[in-house]
PDB file of all heavy atoms in Angstrom:
ATOM      1  N   MET Z 178     -63.287-167.875 -72.158  1.00 96.00           N
ATOM      2  CA  MET Z 178     -62.819-167.940 -70.808  1.00 96.00           C
ATOM      3  C   MET Z 178     -61.240-167.857 -70.836  1.00 96.00           C
ATOM      4  O   MET Z 178     -60.616-167.121 -70.100  1.00 96.00           O
ATOM      5  CB  MET Z 178     -63.303-169.093 -69.976  1.00 96.00           C
ATOM      6  CG  MET Z 178     -62.936-169.028 -68.504  1.00 96.00           C
ATOM      7  SD  MET Z 178     -61.335-169.838 -68.261  1.00 96.00           S
ATOM      8  CE  MET Z 178     -61.708-171.580 -68.804  1.00 96.00           C
ATOM      9  N   LEU Z 179     -60.645-168.718 -71.669  1.00 95.00           N
ATOM     10  CA  LEU Z 179     -59.295-168.736 -71.942  1.00 95.00           C
ATOM     11  C   LEU Z 179     -58.650-167.414 -72.291  1.00 95.00           C
ATOM     12  O   LEU Z 179     -57.463-167.147 -71.975  1.00 95.00           O
ATOM     13  CB  LEU Z 179     -58.822-169.865 -72.829  1.00 95.00           C
ATOM     14  CG  LEU Z 179     -59.086-171.324 -72.356  1.00 95.00           C
ATOM     15  CD1 LEU Z 179     -58.672-172.309 -73.396  1.00 95.00           C
ATOM     16  CD2 LEU Z 179     -58.317-171.599 -71.026  1.00 95.00           C
ATOM     17  N   ASN Z 180     -59.350-166.663 -73.055  1.00 95.00           N
ATOM     18  CA  ASN Z 180     -58.895-165.380 -73.668  1.00 95.00           C
ATOM     19  C   ASN Z 180     -59.249-164.193 -73.001  1.00 95.00           C
ATOM     20  O   ASN Z 180     -58.850-163.097 -73.397  1.00 95.00           O
ATOM     21  CB  ASN Z 180     -59.217-165.369 -75.171  1.00 95.00           C
ATOM     22  CG  ASN Z 180     -58.538-166.308 -75.961  1.00 95.00           C
ATOM     23  OD1 ASN Z 180     -57.431-166.015 -76.447  1.00 95.00           O
ATOM     24  ND2 ASN Z 180     -59.044-167.554 -76.204  1.00 95.00           N
ATOM     25  N   ILE Z 181     -60.112-164.258 -71.902  1.00 95.00           N
ATOM     26  CA  ILE Z 181     -60.707-163.065 -71.366  1.00 95.00           C
ATOM     27  C   ILE Z 181     -59.657-162.250 -70.591  1.00 95.00           C
ATOM     28  O   ILE Z 181     -59.685-160.970 -70.539  1.00 95.00           O
ATOM     29  CB  ILE Z 181     -61.907-163.333 -70.460  1.00 95.00           C
ATOM     30  CG1 ILE Z 181     -62.631-162.122 -70.099  1.00 95.00           C
ATOM     31  CG2 ILE Z 181     -61.493-164.134 -69.271  1.00 95.00           C
ATOM     32  CD1 ILE Z 181     -63.381-161.486 -71.274  1.00 95.00           C
ATOM     33  N   ARG Z 182     -58.696-162.928 -69.951  1.00 93.00           N
ATOM     34  CA  ARG Z 182     -57.622-162.236 -69.308  1.00 93.00           C
ATOM     35  C   ARG Z 182     -56.701-161.403 -70.294  1.00 93.00           C
ATOM     36  O   ARG Z 182     -56.447-160.184 -69.984  1.00 93.00           O
ATOM     37  CB  ARG Z 182     -56.722-163.238 -68.591  1.00 93.00           C
ATOM     38  CG  ARG Z 182     -55.582-162.582 -67.763  1.00 93.00           C
ATOM     39  CD  ARG Z 182     -54.810-163.601 -66.997  1.00 93.00           C
ATOM     40  NE  ARG Z 182     -55.459-164.248 -66.002  1.00 93.00           N
ATOM     41  CZ  ARG Z 182     -55.456-164.045 -64.672  1.00 93.00           C
ATOM     42  NH1 ARG Z 182     -54.546-163.065 -64.218  1.00 93.00           N
ATOM     43  NH2 ARG Z 182     -56.052-164.683 -63.756  1.00 93.00           N
ATOM     44  N   LYS Z 183     -56.400-161.984 -71.409  1.00 93.00           N
ATOM     45  CA  LYS Z 183     -55.637-161.271 -72.429  1.00 93.00           C
ATOM     46  C   LYS Z 183     -56.501-160.117 -73.022  1.00 93.00           C
ATOM     47  O   LYS Z 183     -55.920-159.035 -73.332  1.00 93.00           O
ATOM     48  CB  LYS Z 183     -55.246-162.233 -73.503  1.00 93.00           C
ATOM     49  CG  LYS Z 183     -54.217-161.665 -74.567  1.00 93.00           C
ATOM     50  CD  LYS Z 183     -53.813-162.641 -75.546  1.00 93.00           C
ATOM     51  CE  LYS Z 183     -52.749-162.172 -76.502  1.00 93.00           C
ATOM     52  NZ  LYS Z 183     -52.232-163.255 -77.401  1.00 93.00           N
ATOM     53  N   ALA Z 184     -57.727-160.362 -73.090  1.00 92.00           N
ATOM     54  CA  ALA Z 184     -58.618-159.259 -73.681  1.00 92.00           C
ATOM     55  C   ALA Z 184     -58.636-158.084 -72.725  1.00 92.00           C
ATOM     56  O   ALA Z 184     -58.647-156.948 -73.171  1.00 92.00           O
ATOM     57  CB  ALA Z 184     -60.049-159.825 -73.805  1.00 92.00           C
ATOM     58  N   ALA Z 185     -58.665-158.360 -71.404  1.00 91.00           N
ATOM     59  CA  ALA Z 185     -58.566-157.243 -70.459  1.00 91.00           C
ATOM     60  C   ALA Z 185     -57.263-156.471 -70.536  1.00 91.00           C
ATOM     61  O   ALA Z 185     -57.200-155.257 -70.397  1.00 91.00           O
ATOM     62  CB  ALA Z 185     -58.802-157.776 -69.017  1.00 91.00           C
ATOM     63  N   GLU Z 186     -56.108-157.218 -70.661  1.00 91.00           N
ATOM     64  CA  GLU Z 186     -54.797-156.696 -70.764  1.00 91.00           C
ATOM     65  C   GLU Z 186     -54.727-155.785 -71.948  1.00 91.00           C
ATOM     66  O   GLU Z 186     -54.091-154.673 -71.964  1.00 91.00           O
ATOM     67  CB  GLU Z 186     -53.747-157.652 -70.754  1.00 91.00           C
ATOM     68  CG  GLU Z 186     -53.618-158.503 -69.421  1.00 91.00           C
ATOM     69  CD  GLU Z 186     -52.755-159.726 -69.544  1.00 91.00           C
ATOM     70  OE1 GLU Z 186     -52.361-159.959 -70.682  1.00 91.00           O
ATOM     71  OE2 GLU Z 186     -52.530-160.304 -68.524  1.00 91.00           O
ATOM     72  N   LEU Z 187     -55.219-156.232 -73.148  1.00 90.00           N
ATOM     73  CA  LEU Z 187     -55.086-155.480 -74.421  1.00 90.00           C
ATOM     74  C   LEU Z 187     -56.236-154.616 -74.781  1.00 90.00           C
ATOM     75  O   LEU Z 187     -56.303-153.970 -75.855  1.00 90.00           O
ATOM     76  CB  LEU Z 187     -54.778-156.502 -75.504  1.00 90.00           C
ATOM     77  CG  LEU Z 187     -53.568-157.412 -75.246  1.00 90.00           C
ATOM     78  CD1 LEU Z 187     -53.447-158.410 -76.452  1.00 90.00           C
ATOM     79  CD2 LEU Z 187     -52.284-156.534 -75.227  1.00 90.00           C
ATOM     80  N   GLY Z 188     -57.216-154.553 -73.905  1.00 89.00           N
ATOM     81  CA  GLY Z 188     -58.470-153.689 -74.311  1.00 89.00           C
ATOM     82  C   GLY Z 188     -59.208-154.143 -75.442  1.00 89.00           C
ATOM     83  O   GLY Z 188     -59.731-153.253 -76.205  1.00 89.00           O
ATOM     84  N   TRP Z 189     -59.354-155.462 -75.759  1.00 90.00           N
ATOM     85  CA  TRP Z 189     -60.036-155.856 -76.879  1.00 90.00           C
ATOM     86  C   TRP Z 189     -61.574-155.385 -76.990  1.00 90.00           C
ATOM     87  O   TRP Z 189     -62.128-155.375 -77.999  1.00 90.00           O
ATOM     88  CB  TRP Z 189     -59.944-157.395 -76.985  1.00 90.00           C
ATOM     89  CG  TRP Z 189     -58.717-157.911 -77.401  1.00 90.00           C
ATOM     90  CD1 TRP Z 189     -57.624-157.147 -77.977  1.00 90.00           C
ATOM     91  CD2 TRP Z 189     -58.146-159.236 -77.395  1.00 90.00           C
ATOM     92  NE1 TRP Z 189     -56.526-157.945 -78.265  1.00 90.00           N
ATOM     93  CE2 TRP Z 189     -56.868-159.185 -77.933  1.00 90.00           C
ATOM     94  CE3 TRP Z 189     -58.651-160.443 -77.017  1.00 90.00           C
ATOM     95  CZ2 TRP Z 189     -56.091-160.455 -78.044  1.00 90.00           C
ATOM     96  CZ3 TRP Z 189     -58.014-161.677 -77.019  1.00 90.00           C
ATOM     97  CH2 TRP Z 189     -56.636-161.594 -77.582  1.00 90.00           C
ATOM     98  N   GLU Z 190     -62.155-155.269 -75.810  1.00 88.00           N
ATOM     99  CA  GLU Z 190     -63.632-154.810 -75.846  1.00 88.00           C
ATOM    100  C   GLU Z 190     -63.797-153.622 -76.664  1.00 88.00           C
ATOM    101  O   GLU Z 190     -64.948-153.258 -77.125  1.00 88.00           O
ATOM    102  CB  GLU Z 190     -64.233-154.738 -74.458  1.00 88.00           C
ATOM    103  CG  GLU Z 190     -63.663-153.641 -73.592  1.00 88.00           C
ATOM    104  CD  GLU Z 190     -62.529-154.052 -72.707  1.00 88.00           C
ATOM    105  OE1 GLU Z 190     -61.771-154.859 -73.142  1.00 88.00           O
ATOM    106  OE2 GLU Z 190     -62.440-153.467 -71.633  1.00 88.00           O
ATOM    107  N   PHE Z 191     -62.795-152.670 -76.675  1.00 86.00           N
ATOM    108  CA  PHE Z 191     -62.837-151.391 -77.421  1.00 86.00           C
ATOM    109  C   PHE Z 191     -61.926-151.370 -78.641  1.00 86.00           C
ATOM    110  O   PHE Z 191     -61.933-150.461 -79.449  1.00 86.00           O
ATOM    111  CB  PHE Z 191     -62.531-150.179 -76.579  1.00 86.00           C
ATOM    112  CG  PHE Z 191     -63.379-150.058 -75.390  1.00 86.00           C
ATOM    113  CD1 PHE Z 191     -63.008-150.308 -74.076  1.00 86.00           C
ATOM    114  CD2 PHE Z 191     -64.758-149.585 -75.579  1.00 86.00           C
ATOM    115  CE1 PHE Z 191     -63.910-150.144 -73.037  1.00 86.00           C
ATOM    116  CE2 PHE Z 191     -65.581-149.430 -74.561  1.00 86.00           C
ATOM    117  CZ  PHE Z 191     -65.160-149.680 -73.246  1.00 86.00           C
ATOM    118  N   GLY Z 192     -61.163-152.421 -78.788  1.00 81.00           N
ATOM    119  CA  GLY Z 192     -60.153-152.511 -79.875  1.00 81.00           C
ATOM    120  C   GLY Z 192     -60.597-153.437 -80.932  1.00 81.00           C
ATOM    121  O   GLY Z 192     -61.719-153.544 -81.301  1.00 81.00           O
ATOM    122  N   GLU Z 193     -59.515-154.163 -81.520  1.00 85.00           N
ATOM    123  CA  GLU Z 193     -59.774-155.138 -82.578  1.00 85.00           C
ATOM    124  C   GLU Z 193     -59.251-156.440 -82.109  1.00 85.00           C
ATOM    125  O   GLU Z 193     -58.093-156.805 -82.352  1.00 85.00           O
ATOM    126  CB  GLU Z 193     -59.111-154.543 -83.859  1.00 85.00           C
ATOM    127  CG  GLU Z 193     -59.644-153.276 -84.412  1.00 85.00           C
ATOM    128  CD  GLU Z 193     -59.038-152.919 -85.674  1.00 85.00           C
ATOM    129  OE1 GLU Z 193     -58.128-153.667 -86.208  1.00 85.00           O
ATOM    130  OE2 GLU Z 193     -59.341-151.853 -86.241  1.00 85.00           O
ATOM    131  N   PRO Z 194     -60.116-157.306 -81.559  1.00 91.00           N
ATOM    132  CA  PRO Z 194     -59.715-158.661 -81.201  1.00 91.00           C
ATOM    133  C   PRO Z 194     -59.406-159.583 -82.313  1.00 91.00           C
ATOM    134  O   PRO Z 194     -59.974-159.283 -83.499  1.00 91.00           O
ATOM    135  CB  PRO Z 194     -60.847-159.195 -80.256  1.00 91.00           C
ATOM    136  CG  PRO Z 194     -62.032-158.419 -80.743  1.00 91.00           C
ATOM    137  CD  PRO Z 194     -61.464-156.983 -81.152  1.00 91.00           C
ATOM    138  N   PRO Z 195     -58.670-160.649 -82.173  1.00 93.00           N
ATOM    139  CA  PRO Z 195     -58.474-161.521 -83.327  1.00 93.00           C
ATOM    140  C   PRO Z 195     -59.717-162.024 -84.012  1.00 93.00           C
ATOM    141  O   PRO Z 195     -60.793-162.176 -83.269  1.00 93.00           O
ATOM    142  CB  PRO Z 195     -57.569-162.662 -82.687  1.00 93.00           C
ATOM    143  CG  PRO Z 195     -57.094-162.009 -81.435  1.00 93.00           C
ATOM    144  CD  PRO Z 195     -58.001-161.046 -81.000  1.00 93.00           C
ATOM    145  N   GLU Z 196     -59.666-162.596 -85.171  1.00 94.00           N
ATOM    146  CA  GLU Z 196     -60.872-163.113 -85.893  1.00 94.00           C
ATOM    147  C   GLU Z 196     -61.466-164.172 -85.124  1.00 94.00           C
ATOM    148  O   GLU Z 196     -62.727-164.318 -85.036  1.00 94.00           O
ATOM    149  CB  GLU Z 196     -60.456-163.474 -87.302  1.00 94.00           C
ATOM    150  CG  GLU Z 196     -60.339-162.406 -88.288  1.00 94.00           C
ATOM    151  CD  GLU Z 196     -61.723-161.750 -88.472  1.00 94.00           C
ATOM    152  OE1 GLU Z 196     -62.722-162.389 -88.769  1.00 94.00           O
ATOM    153  OE2 GLU Z 196     -61.815-160.523 -88.320  1.00 94.00           O
ATOM    154  N   PRO Z 197     -60.667-165.214 -84.506  1.00 95.00           N
ATOM    155  CA  PRO Z 197     -61.416-166.347 -83.809  1.00 95.00           C
ATOM    156  C   PRO Z 197     -62.315-165.799 -82.632  1.00 95.00           C
ATOM    157  O   PRO Z 197     -63.293-166.434 -82.321  1.00 95.00           O
ATOM    158  CB  PRO Z 197     -60.149-167.103 -83.282  1.00 95.00           C
ATOM    159  CG  PRO Z 197     -59.079-166.861 -84.200  1.00 95.00           C
ATOM    160  CD  PRO Z 197     -59.240-165.449 -84.647  1.00 95.00           C
ATOM    161  N   ILE Z 198     -61.819-164.733 -81.977  1.00 95.00           N
ATOM    162  CA  ILE Z 198     -62.657-164.178 -80.923  1.00 95.00           C
ATOM    163  C   ILE Z 198     -63.903-163.654 -81.439  1.00 95.00           C
ATOM    164  O   ILE Z 198     -65.048-163.796 -80.844  1.00 95.00           O
ATOM    165  CB  ILE Z 198     -61.760-163.078 -80.091  1.00 95.00           C
ATOM    166  CG1 ILE Z 198     -60.553-163.712 -79.468  1.00 95.00           C
ATOM    167  CG2 ILE Z 198     -62.673-162.406 -79.064  1.00 95.00           C
ATOM    168  CD1 ILE Z 198     -60.860-164.666 -78.295  1.00 95.00           C
ATOM    169  N   ILE Z 199     -63.836-162.867 -82.505  1.00 95.00           N
ATOM    170  CA  ILE Z 199     -65.096-162.192 -83.116  1.00 95.00           C
ATOM    171  C   ILE Z 199     -66.067-163.409 -83.502  1.00 95.00           C
ATOM    172  O   ILE Z 199     -67.216-163.269 -83.211  1.00 95.00           O
ATOM    173  CB  ILE Z 199     -64.705-161.445 -84.255  1.00 95.00           C
ATOM    174  CG1 ILE Z 199     -63.941-160.231 -83.815  1.00 95.00           C
ATOM    175  CG2 ILE Z 199     -65.859-161.038 -85.141  1.00 95.00           C
ATOM    176  CD1 ILE Z 199     -64.711-159.224 -83.083  1.00 95.00           C
ATOM    177  N   TRP Z 200     -65.490-164.466 -84.224  1.00 96.00           N
ATOM    178  CA  TRP Z 200     -66.417-165.483 -84.654  1.00 96.00           C
ATOM    179  C   TRP Z 200     -66.968-166.272 -83.468  1.00 96.00           C
ATOM    180  O   TRP Z 200     -68.144-166.669 -83.440  1.00 96.00           O
ATOM    181  CB  TRP Z 200     -65.686-166.518 -85.638  1.00 96.00           C
ATOM    182  CG  TRP Z 200     -65.509-165.860 -86.964  1.00 96.00           C
ATOM    183  CD1 TRP Z 200     -64.462-165.211 -87.504  1.00 96.00           C
ATOM    184  CD2 TRP Z 200     -66.648-165.730 -87.937  1.00 96.00           C
ATOM    185  NE1 TRP Z 200     -64.800-164.730 -88.723  1.00 96.00           N
ATOM    186  CE2 TRP Z 200     -66.076-165.077 -89.089  1.00 96.00           C
ATOM    187  CE3 TRP Z 200     -67.909-166.090 -87.990  1.00 96.00           C
ATOM    188  CZ2 TRP Z 200     -66.870-164.755 -90.227  1.00 96.00           C
ATOM    189  CZ3 TRP Z 200     -68.720-165.857 -89.193  1.00 96.00           C
ATOM    190  CH2 TRP Z 200     -68.082-165.203 -90.153  1.00 96.00           C
ATOM    191  N   SER Z 201     -66.210-166.427 -82.408  1.00 96.00           N
ATOM    192  CA  SER Z 201     -66.799-167.045 -81.165  1.00 96.00           C
ATOM    193  C   SER Z 201     -67.783-166.082 -80.553  1.00 96.00           C
ATOM    194  O   SER Z 201     -68.820-166.650 -80.025  1.00 96.00           O
ATOM    195  CB  SER Z 201     -65.583-167.281 -80.115  1.00 96.00           C
ATOM    196  OG  SER Z 201     -64.536-168.140 -80.643  1.00 96.00           O
ATOM    197  N   GLY Z 202     -67.610-164.806 -80.644  1.00 95.00           N
ATOM    198  CA  GLY Z 202     -68.589-163.905 -80.116  1.00 95.00           C
ATOM    199  C   GLY Z 202     -69.945-163.971 -80.992  1.00 95.00           C
ATOM    200  O   GLY Z 202     -70.981-163.869 -80.373  1.00 95.00           O
ATOM    201  N   TYR Z 203     -69.741-164.128 -82.309  1.00 96.00           N
ATOM    202  CA  TYR Z 203     -70.903-164.262 -83.060  1.00 96.00           C
ATOM    203  C   TYR Z 203     -71.801-165.482 -82.581  1.00 96.00           C
ATOM    204  O   TYR Z 203     -73.012-165.457 -82.461  1.00 96.00           O
ATOM    205  CB  TYR Z 203     -70.626-164.421 -84.529  1.00 96.00           C
ATOM    206  CG  TYR Z 203     -70.070-163.331 -85.158  1.00 96.00           C
ATOM    207  CD1 TYR Z 203     -69.201-163.426 -86.402  1.00 96.00           C
ATOM    208  CD2 TYR Z 203     -70.284-161.934 -84.745  1.00 96.00           C
ATOM    209  CE1 TYR Z 203     -68.784-162.308 -87.008  1.00 96.00           C
ATOM    210  CE2 TYR Z 203     -69.727-160.894 -85.361  1.00 96.00           C
ATOM    211  CZ  TYR Z 203     -68.876-161.055 -86.441  1.00 96.00           C
ATOM    212  OH  TYR Z 203     -68.303-159.953 -87.150  1.00 96.00           O
ATOM    213  N   PHE Z 204     -71.134-166.558 -82.498  1.00 97.00           N
ATOM    214  CA  PHE Z 204     -71.853-167.823 -81.967  1.00 97.00           C
ATOM    215  C   PHE Z 204     -72.381-167.637 -80.640  1.00 97.00           C
ATOM    216  O   PHE Z 204     -73.548-168.064 -80.335  1.00 97.00           O
ATOM    217  CB  PHE Z 204     -70.848-169.015 -82.068  1.00 97.00           C
ATOM    218  CG  PHE Z 204     -71.446-170.296 -81.667  1.00 97.00           C
ATOM    219  CD1 PHE Z 204     -72.209-171.023 -82.666  1.00 97.00           C
ATOM    220  CD2 PHE Z 204     -71.409-170.810 -80.397  1.00 97.00           C
ATOM    221  CE1 PHE Z 204     -72.787-172.240 -82.347  1.00 97.00           C
ATOM    222  CE2 PHE Z 204     -71.950-172.009 -80.083  1.00 97.00           C
ATOM    223  CZ  PHE Z 204     -72.677-172.715 -81.076  1.00 97.00           C
ATOM    224  N   MET Z 205     -71.677-167.099 -79.673  1.00 97.00           N
ATOM    225  CA  MET Z 205     -72.072-166.878 -78.306  1.00 97.00           C
ATOM    226  C   MET Z 205     -73.356-165.983 -78.345  1.00 97.00           C
ATOM    227  O   MET Z 205     -74.356-166.224 -77.577  1.00 97.00           O
ATOM    228  CB  MET Z 205     -71.010-166.267 -77.507  1.00 97.00           C
ATOM    229  CG  MET Z 205     -71.423-165.980 -76.041  1.00 97.00           C
ATOM    230  SD  MET Z 205     -72.035-167.390 -75.203  1.00 97.00           S
ATOM    231  CE  MET Z 205     -70.414-168.176 -74.691  1.00 97.00           C
ATOM    232  N   TRP Z 206     -73.381-164.882 -79.202  1.00 96.00           N
ATOM    233  CA  TRP Z 206     -74.536-163.928 -79.218  1.00 96.00           C
ATOM    234  C   TRP Z 206     -75.719-164.796 -79.680  1.00 96.00           C
ATOM    235  O   TRP Z 206     -76.810-164.717 -79.190  1.00 96.00           O
ATOM    236  CB  TRP Z 206     -74.153-162.959 -80.288  1.00 96.00           C
ATOM    237  CG  TRP Z 206     -75.071-161.708 -80.294  1.00 96.00           C
ATOM    238  CD1 TRP Z 206     -76.384-161.658 -79.851  1.00 96.00           C
ATOM    239  CD2 TRP Z 206     -74.681-160.450 -80.793  1.00 96.00           C
ATOM    240  NE1 TRP Z 206     -76.815-160.348 -79.967  1.00 96.00           N
ATOM    241  CE2 TRP Z 206     -75.895-159.584 -80.566  1.00 96.00           C
ATOM    242  CE3 TRP Z 206     -73.637-159.820 -81.439  1.00 96.00           C
ATOM    243  CZ2 TRP Z 206     -75.946-158.270 -80.907  1.00 96.00           C
ATOM    244  CZ3 TRP Z 206     -73.661-158.535 -81.833  1.00 96.00           C
ATOM    245  CH2 TRP Z 206     -74.767-157.726 -81.552  1.00 96.00           C
ATOM    246  N   MET Z 207     -75.544-165.708 -80.771  1.00 97.00           N
ATOM    247  CA  MET Z 207     -76.664-166.539 -81.170  1.00 97.00           C
ATOM    248  C   MET Z 207     -77.205-167.455 -80.144  1.00 97.00           C
ATOM    249  O   MET Z 207     -78.483-167.441 -79.904  1.00 97.00           O
ATOM    250  CB  MET Z 207     -76.207-167.345 -82.406  1.00 97.00           C
ATOM    251  CG  MET Z 207     -77.269-168.192 -82.998  1.00 97.00           C
ATOM    252  SD  MET Z 207     -76.575-169.389 -84.202  1.00 97.00           S
ATOM    253  CE  MET Z 207     -75.832-170.611 -82.961  1.00 97.00           C
ATOM    254  N   VAL Z 208     -76.349-168.190 -79.361  1.00 96.00           N
ATOM    255  CA  VAL Z 208     -76.818-169.107 -78.436  1.00 96.00           C
ATOM    256  C   VAL Z 208     -77.438-168.390 -77.179  1.00 96.00           C
ATOM    257  O   VAL Z 208     -78.365-168.952 -76.559  1.00 96.00           O
ATOM    258  CB  VAL Z 208     -75.739-170.031 -78.047  1.00 96.00           C
ATOM    259  CG1 VAL Z 208     -75.285-170.894 -79.156  1.00 96.00           C
ATOM    260  CG2 VAL Z 208     -74.540-169.400 -77.379  1.00 96.00           C
ATOM    261  N   LEU Z 209     -76.924-167.157 -76.895  1.00 96.00           N
ATOM    262  CA  LEU Z 209     -77.525-166.415 -75.811  1.00 96.00           C
ATOM    263  C   LEU Z 209     -78.965-166.027 -76.118  1.00 96.00           C
ATOM    264  O   LEU Z 209     -79.928-166.082 -75.324  1.00 96.00           O
ATOM    265  CB  LEU Z 209     -76.750-165.119 -75.568  1.00 96.00           C
ATOM    266  CG  LEU Z 209     -75.435-165.312 -74.832  1.00 96.00           C
ATOM    267  CD1 LEU Z 209     -74.673-164.000 -74.835  1.00 96.00           C
ATOM    268  CD2 LEU Z 209     -75.619-165.778 -73.411  1.00 96.00           C
ATOM    269  N   MET Z 210     -79.265-165.710 -77.401  1.00 96.00           N
ATOM    270  CA  MET Z 210     -80.608-165.338 -77.705  1.00 96.00           C
ATOM    271  C   MET Z 210     -81.482-166.598 -77.864  1.00 96.00           C
ATOM    272  O   MET Z 210     -82.732-166.570 -77.466  1.00 96.00           O
ATOM    273  CB  MET Z 210     -80.588-164.704 -79.141  1.00 96.00           C
ATOM    274  CG  MET Z 210     -79.984-163.273 -79.168  1.00 96.00           C
ATOM    275  SD  MET Z 210     -80.718-162.056 -78.003  1.00 96.00           S
ATOM    276  CE  MET Z 210     -79.615-162.076 -76.564  1.00 96.00           C
ATOM    277  N   GLU Z 211     -80.980-167.757 -78.252  1.00 96.00           N
ATOM    278  CA  GLU Z 211     -81.732-168.954 -78.185  1.00 96.00           C
ATOM    279  C   GLU Z 211     -82.037-169.468 -76.814  1.00 96.00           C
ATOM    280  O   GLU Z 211     -83.124-169.874 -76.550  1.00 96.00           O
ATOM    281  CB  GLU Z 211     -80.965-170.038 -78.980  1.00 96.00           C
ATOM    282  CG  GLU Z 211     -81.567-171.333 -78.999  1.00 96.00           C
ATOM    283  CD  GLU Z 211     -82.977-171.537 -79.542  1.00 96.00           C
ATOM    284  OE1 GLU Z 211     -83.447-170.479 -80.184  1.00 96.00           O
ATOM    285  OE2 GLU Z 211     -83.628-172.544 -79.424  1.00 96.00           O
ATOM    286  N   ALA Z 212     -81.040-169.277 -75.917  1.00 95.00           N
ATOM    287  CA  ALA Z 212     -81.271-169.703 -74.525  1.00 95.00           C
ATOM    288  C   ALA Z 212     -82.451-168.736 -73.998  1.00 95.00           C
ATOM    289  O   ALA Z 212     -83.213-169.088 -73.155  1.00 95.00           O
ATOM    290  CB  ALA Z 212     -79.992-169.512 -73.721  1.00 95.00           C
ATOM    291  N   LEU Z 213     -82.311-167.391 -74.345  1.00 93.00           N
ATOM    292  CA  LEU Z 213     -83.329-166.433 -73.799  1.00 93.00           C
ATOM    293  C   LEU Z 213     -84.715-166.861 -74.319  1.00 93.00           C
ATOM    294  O   LEU Z 213     -85.745-166.761 -73.574  1.00 93.00           O
ATOM    295  CB  LEU Z 213     -83.015-165.071 -74.234  1.00 93.00           C
ATOM    296  CG  LEU Z 213     -83.575-163.859 -73.636  1.00 93.00           C
ATOM    297  CD1 LEU Z 213     -83.075-163.820 -72.251  1.00 93.00           C
ATOM    298  CD2 LEU Z 213     -83.126-162.528 -74.307  1.00 93.00           C
ATOM    299  N   ARG Z 214     -84.796-167.371 -75.523  1.00 92.00           N
ATOM    300  CA  ARG Z 214     -86.118-167.833 -76.179  1.00 92.00           C
ATOM    301  C   ARG Z 214     -86.610-169.017 -75.427  1.00 92.00           C
ATOM    302  O   ARG Z 214     -87.790-169.102 -75.180  1.00 92.00           O
ATOM    303  CB  ARG Z 214     -86.025-168.083 -77.642  1.00 92.00           C
ATOM    304  CG  ARG Z 214     -87.258-168.574 -78.283  1.00 92.00           C
ATOM    305  CD  ARG Z 214     -87.001-168.999 -79.764  1.00 92.00           C
ATOM    306  NE  ARG Z 214     -86.416-170.310 -79.782  1.00 92.00           N
ATOM    307  CZ  ARG Z 214     -86.984-171.476 -79.752  1.00 92.00           C
ATOM    308  NH1 ARG Z 214     -88.266-171.472 -79.448  1.00 92.00           N
ATOM    309  NH2 ARG Z 214     -86.322-172.505 -79.727  1.00 92.00           N
ATOM    310  N   ARG Z 215     -85.604-169.963 -75.178  1.00 92.00           N
ATOM    311  CA  ARG Z 215     -86.091-171.168 -74.464  1.00 92.00           C
ATOM    312  C   ARG Z 215     -86.562-171.071 -72.985  1.00 92.00           C
ATOM    313  O   ARG Z 215     -87.518-171.710 -72.600  1.00 92.00           O
ATOM    314  CB  ARG Z 215     -85.025-172.255 -74.624  1.00 92.00           C
ATOM    315  CG  ARG Z 215     -84.820-172.652 -75.992  1.00 92.00           C
ATOM    316  CD  ARG Z 215     -83.929-173.992 -76.022  1.00 92.00           C
ATOM    317  NE  ARG Z 215     -83.538-174.412 -77.438  1.00 92.00           N
ATOM    318  CZ  ARG Z 215     -83.245-175.647 -77.673  1.00 92.00           C
ATOM    319  NH1 ARG Z 215     -83.203-176.583 -76.803  1.00 92.00           N
ATOM    320  NH2 ARG Z 215     -82.903-175.898 -78.974  1.00 92.00           N
TER     321      ARG Z 215
END
């Protein structure tokens, strides 16, 4: 949430976001699937 404004300004969804964003995305992907299962 803290980084989504910067992501919109720099086009990170189609570009190359910083590593912490990517690793946070991996974790979020995992918990989204676990939430879906539960």
Side-chain angles (χ1 to χ4, degrees):
M178 185 271 297
L179 290 178
N180 286 276
I181 194 66
R182 184 179 290 259
K183 191 174 182 181
E186 292 171 352
L187 301 178
W189 282 349
E190 68 267 32
F191 297 109
E193 295 182 2
E196 281 295 310
I198 297 292
I199 291 295
W200 284 100
S201 297
Y203 292 157
F204 183 81
M205 179 61 81
W206 197 337
M207 179 192 75
V208 296
L209 285 171
M210 293 301 100
E211 174 61 7
L213 203 61
R214 182 188 71 83
R215 293 196 182 200

